[in-house]
Amino acid sequence: MNIIEVNGLTKKFKDILAVDEVVFSVLKGEIFGFLGPNGAGKTTTINMLCTLLKPTSGTATLNGYDIIKEKNRVRDSIGLVFQDPSLDEQLTARENLEFHALIYDVPLKVARERIKEVVHMVSLADRINDKVETFSGGMKRRLEIARGLLHHPKVLFLDEPTLGLDPQTRNHIWEYILDLRRKKDITIFLTTHYMDEAENCDRIAIIDRGRIIALDTPDNLKKSVGGDVITLDTADNEKAQKIIESRFGRQVAIQNGALRFEIEDSDRFIPQLFSKLDMEVISINARRPTLDDVFLNLAGRAIREESADALGIARAVVRARRMRGRS
Ligand SMILES: Nc1ncnc2c1ncn2[C@@H]1O[C@H](COP(=O)(O)OP(=O)(O)OP(=O)(O)O)[C@@H](O)[C@H]1O
């Protein structure tokens, strides 16, 4: 069963086409990822699905509700964790959660039970009465995930849930996300530009310049690359490129000054290659394809890792205000 159905969703900001007629659906209970570089249109798509932005055209339903005509029903069906923290630092973790329960009309008695449950889930039970300003970045993100779960949403949106966190904390957050999926009847929709994180998703939509350029399981996407990825650096790369293209019929790209191409059986290929190259080989590397290779093949460039900018923070403030207004 599809919990989200998106049809031709488009968003234009003046002359910027941020999201361009995207079509996709998300299955109930899956971890669905949006992978793409900064500015690809991931957050804009999420904002439309969360009813925080009105689409320029197209339609979408979430939990069976129309994102334009049934905004409040959609909002009651979702939990949100955005890139930039939106907790009140001066309040304790408990107060932040109680405030959220109040906004979502969860009766205080019920809220108290659920708060116990969610803080336990993200291992913050012993810090519940501490002010959020004393929390580390990872603890704040965990608290935000707990908050996003408080009203028992059908879909939890996580926009770059681990952005700016150290690798160990990122791993922890992922343990919570995977655990959540096991324990709760919930669908998780997340955006990321970290390749390794995208690997945890059941399915990934790769988005570039507002368009979905591929959608499949991580394994199938990697299989589409067509073999192992070879990176080769020699004393004469121009000549080596010509030899590989003419003798082995491979398409060779130049990336960071080295040659890059794909080959099905690298173990057998490398000795053959060495017998044909009559120049010094400085380095050679053969590896299984990653999602970065998938993106590189489809978009012609790598996904760069950049941090959130001032615009992102400004957008988060606008979003938080809108959600509180529940307009
Ligand atoms: N409120 C806005 N006004 C004008 N342009 C916007 C606005 N929000 C987003 N954009 C533009 O729309 C495009 C898509 O941005 P979006 O934030 O959706 O990308 P993203 O994939 O989520 O990237 P990031 O990870 O940096 O948030 C970008 O070109 C961005 O500059």
Side-chain angles (χ1 to χ4, degrees):
M1 182 201 147
N2 291 333
I3 189 101
I4 300 177
E5 283 183 6
V6 177
N7 208 340
L9 210 58
T10 299
K11 182 70 192 178
K12 268 190 190 162
F13 296 106
K14 293 198 178 123
D15 48 358
I16 298 174
L17 188 54
V19 177
D20 186 6
E21 298 206 1
V22 295
V23 178
F24 65 94
S25 48
V26 179
L27 292 167
K28 190 168 182 282
E30 76 176 336
I31 300 184
F32 185 87
F34 246 29
L35 173 71
N38 285 112
K42 305 181 295 293
T43 305
T44 305
T45 307
I46 282 208
N47 281 347
M48 288 191 281
L49 295 178
C50 295
T51 78
L52 293 172
L53 258 185
K54 197 169 176 225
T56 308
S57 58
T59 57
T61 58
L62 190 148
N63 196 23
Y65 301 120
D66 187 296
I67 60 160
I68 301 164
K69 294 182 202 132
E70 295 169 292
K71 272 188 181 182
N72 282 344
R73 286 189 185 274
V74 170
R75 289 184 186 189
D76 289 339
S77 308
I78 61 178
L80 303 170
V81 180
F82 284 121
Q83 282 178 28
D84 323 287
S86 58
L87 296 160
D88 194 325
E89 303 250 333
Q90 296 306 314
L91 298 181
T92 65
R94 184 194 299 281
E95 286 164 345
N96 266 285
L97 295 174
E98 285 180 355
F99 179 58
H100 181 83
L102 193 72
I103 293 176
Y104 276 88
D105 301 325
V106 181
L108 198 58
K109 211 172 148 206
V110 179
R112 289 206 169 122
E113 275 311 301
R114 288 195 193 166
I115 287 171
K116 250 193 241 165
E117 179 198 27
V118 292
V119 292
H120 180 71
M121 184 160 213
V122 297
S123 307
L124 284 175
D126 56 338
R127 299 292 303 266
I128 189 162
N129 293 318
D130 294 347
K131 275 194 182 176
V132 170
E133 66 181 359
T134 66
F135 284 15
S136 69
M139 287 164 72
K140 286 179 193 166
R141 207 62 59 89
R142 269 149 53 198
L143 181 60
E144 293 202 305
I145 293 175
R147 187 180 60 176
L149 294 170
L150 210 55
H151 54 286
H152 285 178
K154 295 276 183 240
V155 182
L156 181 65
F157 284 97
L158 303 166
D159 193 7
E160 300 274 1
T162 64
L163 188 76
L165 301 177
D166 60 86
Q168 202 190 355
T169 312
R170 282 173 56 194
N171 286 342
H172 273 134
I173 298 274
W174 265 100
E175 278 168 26
Y176 293 116
I177 294 174
L178 294 169
D179 194 40
L180 190 65
R181 204 259 305 260
R182 273 192 296 273
K183 288 185 185 154
K184 298 254 171 209
D185 175 27
I186 196 165
T187 306
I188 296 170
F189 187 125
L190 65 96
T191 73
T192 183
H193 61 271
Y194 293 122
M195 302 297 149
D196 52 339
E197 284 195 2
E199 299 267 353
N200 290 319
C201 298
D202 296 312
R203 288 190 309 143
I204 304 166
I206 299 186
I207 181 161
D208 185 38
R209 298 189 172 120
R211 298 196 77 106
I212 291 180
I213 54 175
L215 197 166
D216 213 327
T217 61
D219 273 353
N220 283 345
L221 287 170
K222 285 185 284 181
K223 273 184 203 147
S224 72
V225 170
D228 297 335
V229 179
I230 309 272
T231 316
L232 172 71
D233 193 15
T234 72
D236 187 347
N237 279 346
E238 213 171 300
K239 190 172 168 199
Q241 180 177 14
K242 282 191 188 128
I243 293 172
I244 297 161
E245 286 179 342
S246 61
R247 296 280 178 98
F248 298 99
R250 306 316 302 179
Q251 213 186 342
V252 181
I254 298 179
Q255 201 189 359
N256 302 328
L259 304 177
R260 179 193 176 282
F261 57 98
E262 288 141 24
I263 199 91
E264 251 160 43
D265 190 349
S266 61
D267 291 351
R268 283 170 191 273
F269 169 78
I270 289 172
Q272 289 174 28
L273 175 70
F274 273 68
S275 71
K276 296 284 184 288
L277 291 180
D278 54 357
M279 76 272 300
E280 185 198 350
V281 172
I282 298 164
S283 67
I284 186 161
N285 175 273
R287 58 174 175 77
R288 303 294 305 145
T290 62
L291 289 170
D292 206 5
D293 297 310
V294 177
F295 187 83
L296 194 68
N297 277 11
L298 293 168
R301 62 187 203 288
I303 295 185
R304 277 172 303 138
E305 303 205 341
E306 292 160 3
S307 57
D309 56 7
L311 176 65
I313 293 164
R315 272 188 258 147
V317 172
V318 172
R319 266 190 314 241
R321 284 195 188 135
R322 281 199 201 137
M323 282 311 277
R324 282 182 190 178
R326 287 173 67 72
S327 58

